[in-house]
Coordinates of all heavy atoms in Angstrom, one line a residue:
W274 N 8.6 -5.3 -2.3 CA 9.8 -4.5 -1.8 C 9.8 -3.1 -2.5 O 10.3 -2.2 -2.0 CB 11.1 -5.2 -2.0 CG 11.4 -6.4 -1.1 CD1 11.7 -7.6 -1.5 CD2 11.4 -6.4 0.4 NE1 11.9 -8.4 -0.3 CE2 11.7 -7.7 0.8 CE3 11.1 -5.4 1.3 CZ2 11.8 -8.1 2.1 CZ3 11.2 -5.8 2.7 CH2 11.5 -7.1 3.1
G275 N 9.3 -3.1 -3.8 CA 9.4 -1.8 -4.5 C 8.3 -0.9 -4.2 O 8.3 0.3 -4.7
G276 N 7.3 -1.3 -3.4 CA 6.1 -0.4 -3.1 C 6.4 0.6 -2.0 O 5.7 0.6 -1.0
I277 N 7.5 1.4 -2.2 CA 8.0 2.2 -1.1 C 7.3 3.4 -0.7 O 7.7 4.1 0.2 CB 9.5 2.5 -1.3 CG1 9.6 3.4 -2.6 CG2 10.3 1.2 -1.5 CD1 11.0 4.0 -2.8
L278 N 6.2 3.7 -1.4 CA 5.4 4.9 -1.1 C 3.9 4.7 -0.9 O 3.2 5.7 -0.7 CB 5.7 6.0 -2.2 CG 7.1 6.6 -2.2 CD1 7.8 6.1 -3.5 CD2 7.1 8.1 -2.1
L279 N 3.5 3.4 -0.9 CA 2.1 3.2 -0.8 C 1.7 2.0 0.0 O 1.2 2.0 1.1 CB 1.4 3.2 -2.2 CG -0.1 3.0 -2.2 CD1 -0.8 4.1 -1.4 CD2 -0.6 3.0 -3.6
H280 N 2.1 0.8 -0.5 CA 1.5 -0.5 0.1 C 2.4 -1.3 1.0 O 1.9 -2.0 1.8 CB 1.0 -1.4 -1.1 CG -0.2 -0.8 -1.8 ND1 -1.3 -0.4 -1.2 CD2 -0.4 -0.6 -3.1 CE1 -2.2 0.1 -2.1 NE2 -1.7 -0.1 -3.3
L281 N 3.7 -1.2 0.8 CA 4.6 -2.1 1.4 C 4.4 -2.1 3.0 O 4.3 -3.2 3.6 CB 6.1 -1.7 1.1 CG 7.2 -2.4 1.9 CD1 7.2 -3.9 1.7 CD2 8.5 -1.8 1.5
R282 N 4.4 -0.9 3.5 CA 4.3 -0.9 5.0 C 3.0 -1.5 5.5 O 3.0 -2.3 6.5 CB 4.3 0.6 5.4 CG 4.2 0.8 7.0 CD 4.0 2.3 7.3 NE 4.1 2.5 8.7 CZ 3.1 2.3 9.6 NH1 1.9 1.8 9.2 NH2 3.3 2.5 10.9
G283 N 1.9 -1.3 4.7 CA 0.6 -1.8 5.2 C 0.6 -3.3 5.1 O 0.0 -4.0 6.0
N284 N 1.2 -4.0 4.1 CA 1.2 -5.4 4.1 C 2.0 -6.0 5.2 O 1.6 -7.0 5.8 CB 1.8 -5.9 2.7 CG 0.7 -5.9 1.7 OD1 0.8 -5.1 0.7 ND2 -0.2 -6.9 1.7
V285 N 3.1 -5.4 5.5 CA 4.0 -5.9 6.6 C 3.3 -5.7 8.0 O 3.2 -6.7 8.8 CB 5.4 -5.2 6.6 CG1 6.2 -5.7 7.8 CG2 6.1 -5.6 5.3
E286 N 2.8 -4.5 8.2 CA 2.1 -4.3 9.5 C 0.8 -5.0 9.6 O 0.4 -5.4 10.7 CB 1.9 -2.8 9.7 CG 3.1 -2.1 10.4 CD 3.2 -2.6 11.9 OE1 2.6 -2.1 12.8 OE2 4.1 -3.5 12.1
G287 N 0.1 -5.1 8.5 CA -1.2 -5.9 8.5 C -0.9 -7.3 9.0 O -1.6 -7.9 9.8
Y288 N 0.1 -7.9 8.4 CA 0.5 -9.3 8.8 C 0.9 -9.3 10.2 O 0.4 -10.2 11.0 CB 1.6 -9.8 7.9 CG 2.4 -11.0 8.5 CD1 1.8 -12.2 8.3 CD2 3.5 -10.8 9.2 CE1 2.5 -13.4 8.9 CE2 4.2 -11.9 9.8 CZ 3.6 -13.2 9.6 OH 4.2 -14.3 10.2
T289 N 1.7 -8.4 10.7 CA 2.2 -8.4 12.0 C 1.1 -8.3 13.0 O 1.1 -9.0 14.1 CB 3.2 -7.3 12.2 OG1 4.3 -7.4 11.3 CG2 3.8 -7.3 13.6
Q290 N 0.1 -7.4 12.8 CA -0.9 -7.1 13.8 C -2.2 -8.0 13.7 O -3.0 -8.0 14.6 CB -1.3 -5.6 13.6 CG -0.2 -4.6 13.8 CD 0.5 -4.8 15.2 OE1 -0.2 -5.1 16.2 NE2 1.8 -4.5 15.2
A291 N -2.4 -8.7 12.6 CA -3.6 -9.5 12.4 C -3.7 -10.5 13.5 O -2.6 -11.1 13.9 CB -3.6 -10.1 11.0
G292 N -4.9 -10.8 13.9 CA -5.1 -11.8 15.0 C -5.2 -13.2 14.5 O -5.4 -14.2 15.3
S293 N -5.0 -13.4 13.2 CA -5.2 -14.8 12.6 C -4.2 -15.8 13.2 O -3.0 -15.5 13.3 CB -5.0 -14.7 11.1 OG -5.8 -13.7 10.5
E294 N -4.7 -17.0 13.5 CA -3.8 -18.0 13.9 C -3.0 -18.5 12.8 O -1.8 -18.8 12.9 CB -4.6 -19.2 14.5 CG -3.8 -20.3 15.0 CD -4.6 -21.5 15.5 OE1 -5.9 -21.4 15.6 OE2 -4.0 -22.5 15.9
L295 N -3.6 -18.6 11.6 CA -2.8 -19.0 10.4 C -2.6 -17.8 9.5 O -3.5 -17.3 8.8 CB -3.6 -20.1 9.6 CG -3.9 -21.4 10.4 CD1 -4.8 -22.3 9.7 CD2 -2.5 -22.1 10.6
K296 N -1.4 -17.2 9.6 CA -1.1 -16.0 8.8 C 0.3 -16.2 8.2 O 1.2 -16.7 8.8 CB -1.3 -14.8 9.6 CG -0.4 -14.6 10.8 CD -0.6 -13.3 11.5 CE 0.3 -13.1 12.7 NZ 0.1 -11.8 13.4

Side-chain angles (χ1 to χ4, degrees):
W274 288 126
I277 63 172
L278 292 112
L279 183 55
H280 293 307
L281 171 61
R282 181 189 189 277
N284 277 109
V285 174
E286 269 296 273
Y288 164 81
T289 303
Q290 301 301 329
S293 308
E294 180 180 357
L295 297 171
K296 60 179 181 178

